[in-house]
Amino acid sequence: MSAHSLKLNYPSSTKPIYMRTLSNTPNEIAALEQAAEWFAILHDEPNQESIDDWKTWLQSSDKNRTAWRQIEKTAKRFQDLRENKAQSAMAAGLLSAQQNSISRRELIIKSVLLGLVTTGVIGAGRQHPELIDKTMAFAADERTSIGAIREILLPDKTKLWLNTNSAVNIEYTDQRRLLKLVSGEIYIDTAKDIHRQFFAKTRHGLLQALGTEFNVRQFSNYSELSVFEGAVEIQLKNSNIKRVDAGGSVTFDENRFLATSQVSSTQSSWIQGLLVAENMPLSQLIEELRRHHHEHIFLASELENLRVMGTYPLTHLDKSLQLLGNALPIETERRFRWFINITAK
Amino acid sequence: MVEKIYSLHHSWLSSWLTQRTGCDQLAADLAQDTFVKLLKKNHIDEQHNSRAFLKTVANGLWIDHWRHRKIEEAWFERLKDLPEPATPSAEQSYLILETLYQIDSMLSKLPEKVATAFILSQVEGLKYRDIAVKLGVSERMVKKYMAKAMLECTLIEAQLPVFD
């Protein structure tokens, strides 16, 4: 196989801009073209014949060797990038900037599929539910982006709140009312409807509302239900049922109920855009803030267990950080636009 | 000379950018950046004192800004899925983003499929046969894309003179 079999034909209008301006080193450019073609051949399982042909090409002139060195230098740049563990995050970034003409749904599905292939998940037969959620989230009926909190009035007068980065599908029929939580967290205040029962569904189970206000959040491996008024009945795939009354909170996965606890009314304060901390570890509070903001927030590990009291505005990061700085022995630094570093004072 | 151009053009450029981008703050930043770019030029003359020219520069900066935002958003989104020990530090993230901006600027001149194939191979580490399936083209075509992209990147790396 020779480099000529891959002949790159450039009609003059599509020649790279550099080629159009350089009329004095056509030989150098030609050698680079060939070197690039050889690179493409050698990069992915070349056979012995190709390798031998390449060596012949390389040895045949200084020009070729110089060109090859330049190609190698560029290739090294990318090789260095690949050594980093965050390859698929980098690829996602680069691909995202490329694809501005594809519809959003396609783009997300593409990048999710890429993610699944690179991490070898499909082959290993494991599920990576969060990535699948993100795909579905963009196709969902109602969604929020990072940092947004929305209140929606449904046709039957049920009130629905979506927390940051969440998505629901609304499936109301004549027979029943159903909300599918595709990703994230919702708060529901059901309206009375004597003809239709109200259900909410997560990946892990089906919830039936019995005249109620409740909060449900879907994590990748489990869901969490908190009931504030009335009662909710959870039904799992294997027909295990559990009733949760106001003041109670339960986590569950597809197969079993995991933990129960008490819930205080302040845990629903996100619907007013507030986070009420009652002896909350700082790591948990910061994690909540992260959900609502794009910024990358680093918290020094020795600060993780500091206890926090008070009310914090979820949607105003600077204000929250200022309040934290007043209350705790911490130092907040925002050196770059997207980075916040929290360290001990 | 730049002062003259600034006083003549700064205000309509800001308004034009506000309309284009839909954001006051961004428009103000881009307008500033446009004149900063002008200042950096080796020599400035009457040809630069034109709406068309300034619009082109400003538009280019806006596209760069948009591309950088896309890269950042996707980067931060994906970082969340990384296991704790693999998460880069603030400085590392910043350096990686800078590198991604440079690579993106090289790739932005290529047709979308060519750039996509190149990213999948060189950054994500996929084999040509998998890339061929994803893009709906032949493996042979993927090799052509690779060669084309590699040539483009190398020409830029070698810093050969370019039409500005």
Side-chain angles (χ1 to χ4, degrees), chain A residues 5 16 18 40 43-45 74 77 81-82 84 88 91 98 100 111 114 118 134 296 335 338, chain B residues 66-67 72 77-79 91 96 102 115 120-122 124 127-129 134 140 152 154 156-157 162:
Chain A
S5 61
Y18 310 95
H43 184 72
D44 189 293
E45 296 165 347
T74 306
R77 236 184 182 285
L81 261 193
R82 280 202 300 282
N84 188 303
S88 75
Q98 287 297 321
N100 58 345
S111 57
L114 283 173
T118 0
K134 285 181 174 103
H296 208 20
R335 233 188 312 166
W338 291 96
Chain B
W66 183 88
R67 294 182 79 97
E72 288 160 13
E77 247 329 278
R78 282 308 194 85
L79 276 195
E91 267 89 332
I96 289 171
Q102 285 169 24
L120 292 178
S121 165
Q122 293 297 302
E124 192 107 46
K127 293 245 175 278
Y128 289 175
R129 100 180 75 98
K134 278 201 192 325
R140 197 181 145 71
E152 192 74 32
T154 306
I156 298 170
E157 285 267 318
V162 182

Side-chain angles (χ1 to χ4, degrees), chain A residues 211-234:
Chain A
T212 162
E213 279 189 47
F214 65 99
N215 191 94
V216 59
R217 183 171 173 187
Q218 182 172 269
F219 294 85
S220 39
N221 296 321
Y222 64 92
S223 294
E224 181 181 37
L225 166 71
S226 303
V227 182
F228 296 94
E229 210 178 279
V232 173
E233 199 172 77
I234 310 173

Side-chain angles (χ1 to χ4, degrees), chain A residues 39 43-44 78 82, chain B residues 115-128 131 142 146:
Chain A
F39 173 83
H43 184 72
D44 189 293
F78 290 98
R82 280 202 300 282
Chain B
T116 303
F118 193 70
I119 293 165
L120 292 178
S121 165
Q122 293 297 302
V123 182
E124 192 107 46
L126 294 188
K127 293 245 175 278
Y128 289 175
I131 298 173
V142 173
M146 290 297 298

Side-chain angles (χ1 to χ4, degrees), chain A residues 75-92:
Chain A
K76 175 93 180 35
R77 236 184 182 285
F78 290 98
Q79 197 187 325
D80 290 343
L81 261 193
R82 280 202 300 282
E83 320 268 82
N84 188 303
K85 289 276 188 277
Q87 327 160 319
S88 75
M90 295 187 293

Side-chain angles (χ1 to χ4, degrees), chain A residues 2 29 51 53 140 179 182 196 241 261 272 286 293 322 332:
Chain A
S2 75
I29 302 292
I51 297 174
D53 288 343
L179 288 187
V182 174
R196 299 182 295 176
I241 293 188
S261 59
Q272 279 117 25
I286 297 297
H293 299 280
Q322 188 190 5
T332 301

Side-chain angles (χ1 to χ4, degrees), chain B residues 87-146:
Chain B
T87 311
S89 70
E91 267 89 332
Q92 283 172 326
S93 250
Y94 185 70
L95 289 171
I96 289 171
L97 280 174
E98 285 290 305
T99 308
L100 291 182
Y101 299 157
Q102 285 169 24
I103 293 174
D104 176 63
S105 127
M106 282 195 260
L107 297 175
S108 65
K109 299 178 173 57
L110 294 167
E112 192 185 316
K113 272 193 169 167
V114 175
T116 303
F118 193 70
I119 293 165
L120 292 178
S121 165
Q122 293 297 302
V123 182
E124 192 107 46
L126 294 188
K127 293 245 175 278
Y128 289 175
R129 100 180 75 98
D130 297 326
I131 298 173
V133 167
K134 278 201 192 325
L135 295 180
V137 299
S138 65
E139 250 187 81
R140 197 181 145 71
M141 206 59 209
V142 173
K143 280 197 191 127
K144 279 199 181 182
Y145 290 164
M146 290 297 298

Side-chain angles (χ1 to χ4, degrees), chain A residues 136-150:
Chain A
M136 307 300 278
F138 279 83
D141 292 335
E142 294 289 353
R143 55 178 291 269
T144 42
S145 51
I146 294 177
I149 299 173
R150 282 180 63 199

Side-chain angles (χ1 to χ4, degrees), chain A residues 67-139:
Chain A
W68 182 254
R69 267 197 298 274
Q70 286 184 292
I71 294 281
E72 266 194 325
K73 198 167 148 218
T74 306
K76 175 93 180 35
R77 236 184 182 285
F78 290 98
Q79 197 187 325
D80 290 343
L81 261 193
R82 280 202 300 282
E83 320 268 82
N84 188 303
K85 289 276 188 277
Q87 327 160 319
S88 75
M90 295 187 293
L94 290 170
L95 288 167
S96 181
Q98 287 297 321
Q99 293 160 329
N100 58 345
S101 53
I102 298 182
S103 78
R104 201 148 62 138
R105 215 175 276 202
E106 262 183 80
L107 163 63
I108 298 305
I109 290 169
K110 270 192 179 160
S111 57
V112 164
L113 287 175
L114 283 173
L116 288 172
V117 170
T118 0
T119 55
V121 169
I122 284 177
R126 273 183 290 132
Q127 293 293 307
H128 201 334
E130 260 189 10
L131 287 176
I132 297 171
D133 276 359
K134 285 181 174 103
T135 314
M136 307 300 278
F138 279 83

